[in-house]
Amino acid sequence: MDFNQIQELIKLISETGLSEFHLEDKEFKLTIRSKEPETITETKIVSVPASMPSYPAPQYAPSAPAPAPAAVAPTPAAPAAGKKEDNNNYIEITSPIVGTFYRSPSPDKPVYVNVGDVVQKDSVVCIVEAMKLFNEIESEVSGKIVKVLVDDATPVEFGQALYLVDPS
Amino acid sequence: MNTNTLFIGQVFLTFPTLLSTNLFAMDYATKNNPSEGTVISTPNQSAGRGQIGSKWESEADKNISLSIILYPKFLKPIEQFDLIKITGLAVRDFIAQFIPEKVTIKWPNDIYVGNKKIAGILIQSSLSSSKIKHAIIGIGINVNQATFLSDAPNPTSIFLETGQENNLEILNRNLCWHVERWYLQLKAGHQMAIHEHYLTHFYKIREDAHFLNVATQEVFKGAIIGIEKTGQLRVFTSSGIQVFDIKGIKFLHENSKV
């Protein structure tokens, strides 16, 4: 199970409102608990945008033995807390053209990215439409989306910041 | 009818049916690194796309729907309206072979015969680090379709205008030839000539017409006198020259109600 899968799982679990989840196989054990006071640390990032959906702060705490340290590494709360005061660590994805910002390929399709999603270099993050020419905008950085800065279907200027990305 | 191209259509992929040639081509270009000029085509496009959310009606096996994958790396993102211009000119020239008169480019990307729409263009591009990675030129042309069911405004086809049916395979190839011809003009740096041609064939240019100012909901009389470099419409009105973006202005046809 890789980091992305674990993240997917956390998202799924937080959406269902489960408070605790255990997974165990030959390789490792995974426990995900939510709504515990000490887990709130994670929401510090999350609380930056006021408008984003507030799902319960998840925590994934592998019970020993945990032979998958790579998957655990991104959890620590300390650096997240540090970033609360310091938005400078975030990178902006900006619009390369003047146009209209769309978060999804068409109104009936899901949005390209949500807060909390991890994007890679080359991930499509939105469409900016200019004169009926539809430009898929690719992220220039890898990281986690911490804030969507522009409302769907609204005009954007050249160089205007569209998303805030945590590259760590 | 010329079908001999250098690169557009050298790889010509036809599928029995596709939801949208543009969507397929976009995905294909991202994943397969196809050679420039690769064409994705289908005689049966079931969910062809107009602009976001709107559909393009097309009866199976009657019409042209294809998408061309291009790498116009010589263009800046801000210059992309040039792609709309050359595609409009190519499709106009193509249709004018059958219908010599009244074929115009309705701003920005429809082709009209008189006051009826015969073709639509949808261009999608992928921008990375402020550079164009690839552009998908989607073209839909009504060829042999005789009846239209949708409430799309005034559709027509080559068949309805001429009474002649045409071989779609040959037409596909000839369309590629026209697009290539104009694309090479652009690549060679002939922007001014392209601009002049685009305006020459512009729907309702220098004609008195009625428009709706979308922001104020006012109907006003004016005459289109040109476009900006990035494509905005320049309209001469009683209060001077005004510039409109796509969403800022609507054409009002003689028969349309306000």
Side-chain angles (χ1 to χ4, degrees):
Chain A
M1 192 171 228
D2 65 22
F3 177 58
N4 282 337
Q5 286 175 303
I6 292 174
Q7 246 193 349
E8 279 299 313
L9 198 59
I10 290 168
K11 237 166 66 178
L12 207 68
I13 289 161
S14 58
E15 276 162 16
T16 58
L18 283 174
S19 60
E20 200 165 338
F21 174 82
H22 296 274
L23 177 72
E24 193 174 345
D25 70 7
K26 277 173 280 170
E27 306 258 336
F28 76 112
K29 278 198 222 171
L30 177 71
T31 303
I32 299 172
R33 243 178 254 115
S34 66
K35 288 178 181 155
E36 288 183 16
E38 66 269 27
T39 67
I40 297 299
T41 43
E42 262 291 309
T43 49
K44 280 174 185 162
I45 297 177
V46 157
S47 66
V48 175
S51 59
M52 68 145 300
S54 56
Y55 43 76
Q59 188 185 37
Y60 36 113
S63 25
V72 185
T75 24
K83 252 168 234 127
K84 186 193 168 193
E85 279 83 35
D86 186 11
N87 276 8
N88 293 337
N89 289 344
Y90 298 152
I91 296 175
E92 291 173 344
I93 299 176
T94 57
S95 179
I97 48 168
V98 176
T100 306
F101 171 83
Y102 291 102
R103 290 187 63 190
S104 56
S106 63
D108 54 332
K109 297 268 161 56
V111 297
Y112 285 110
V113 288
N114 262 316
V115 170
D117 287 355
V118 172
V119 294
Q120 308 296 329
K121 270 192 173 184
D122 298 352
S123 298
V124 175
V125 292
C126 64
I127 283 176
V128 177
E129 182 250 303
M131 302 303 294
K132 293 212 180 170
L133 203 142
F134 295 86
N135 301 275
E136 284 190 353
I137 310 297
E138 293 185 355
S139 175
E140 292 169 29
V141 292
S142 304
K144 189 155 88 175
I145 302 284
V146 279
K147 191 170 186 181
V148 183
L149 300 166
V150 181
D151 289 336
D152 191 39
T154 55
V156 290
E157 294 300 320
F158 175 82
Q160 184 175 341
L162 308 173
Y163 295 98
L164 220 49
V165 176
D166 180 355
S168 53
Chain B
M1 202 173 280
N2 211 327
T3 56
N4 208 357
T5 60
L6 295 171
F7 61 99
I8 294 184
Q10 289 301 315
V11 179
F12 199 107
L13 306 174
T14 304
F15 297 86
T17 176
L18 283 178
L19 282 173
S20 149
T21 56
N22 258 41
L23 283 184
F24 188 95
M26 204 73 180
D27 191 53
Y28 191 79
T30 306
K31 290 176 182 159
N32 298 287
N33 194 25
S35 56
E36 180 162 51
T38 295
V39 174
I40 307 295
S41 153
T42 181
N44 186 9
Q45 181 173 242
S46 48
R49 307 218 308 157
Q51 52 184 307
I52 281 188
S54 72
K55 284 186 182 166
W56 173 253
E57 182 195 343
S58 185
E59 194 183 325
D61 303 317
K62 299 280 188 189
N63 302 315
I64 291 176
S65 38
L66 57 77
S67 296
I68 303 167
I69 298 168
L70 295 175
Y71 302 109
K73 294 186 190 296
F74 55 92
L75 284 181
K76 297 190 191 86
I78 201 172
E79 297 173 322
Q80 285 187 96
F81 197 78
D82 286 347
L83 289 176
I84 290 188
K85 286 182 190 167
I86 57 139
T87 310
L89 283 165
V91 176
R92 196 219 74 91
D93 284 359
F94 168 83
I95 293 167
Q97 297 173 120
F98 308 94
I99 308 159
E101 287 168 29
K102 304 185 296 179
V103 184
T104 56
I105 300 166
K106 179 171 178 287
W107 179 76
N109 56 354
D110 288 331
I111 308 299
Y112 269 47
V113 178
N115 284 320
K116 293 175 175 176
K117 177 169 167 173
I118 194 164
I121 294 160
L122 178 67
I123 301 183
Q124 288 172 283
S125 74
S126 170
L127 302 188
S128 180
S129 303
S130 298
K131 291 198 179 73
I132 302 173
K133 263 175 80 177
H134 53 252
I136 309 298
I137 312 289
I139 300 171
I141 304 174
N142 298 332
V143 179
N144 294 327
Q145 189 161 341
T147 50
F148 291 88
L149 305 169
S150 81
D151 52 0
N154 299 324
T156 189
S157 66
I158 293 175
F159 174 77
L160 284 175
E161 296 295 324
T162 64
Q164 300 288 315
E165 289 213 8
N166 282 281
N167 179 314
L168 287 177
E169 208 166 311
I170 297 169
L171 262 55
N172 272 327
R173 300 287 176 166
N174 176 247
L175 176 63
C176 289
W177 183 85
H178 280 283
V179 175
E180 182 174 284
R181 179 170 166 262
W182 281 105
Y183 183 62
L184 290 175
Q185 291 287 314
L186 179 61
K187 213 168 174 175
H190 298 152
Q191 274 92 348
M192 276 309 292
I194 289 166
H195 185 77
E196 285 301 315
H197 275 96
Y198 186 74
L199 289 185
T200 302
H201 298 295
F202 210 83
Y203 178 73
K204 286 205 189 291
I205 191 155
R206 293 184 205 95
E207 278 178 35
D208 281 336
H210 285 89
F211 302 92
L212 176 72
N213 182 325
V214 175
T216 63
Q217 287 295 305
E218 271 177 296
V219 175
F220 66 97
K221 212 168 117 178
I224 296 165
I225 54 168
I227 56 165
E228 302 283 291
K229 186 167 167 47
T230 44
Q232 288 81 1
L233 197 67
R234 291 165 59 83
V235 183
F236 185 80
T237 71
S238 57
S239 53
I241 293 166
Q242 295 185 48
V243 177
F244 293 94
D245 200 342
I246 295 278
K247 294 171 186 72
I249 187 167
K250 280 203 174 108
F251 290 75
L252 298 176
H253 300 295
E254 290 79 52
N255 53 354
S256 67
K257 295 191 178 68
V258 181

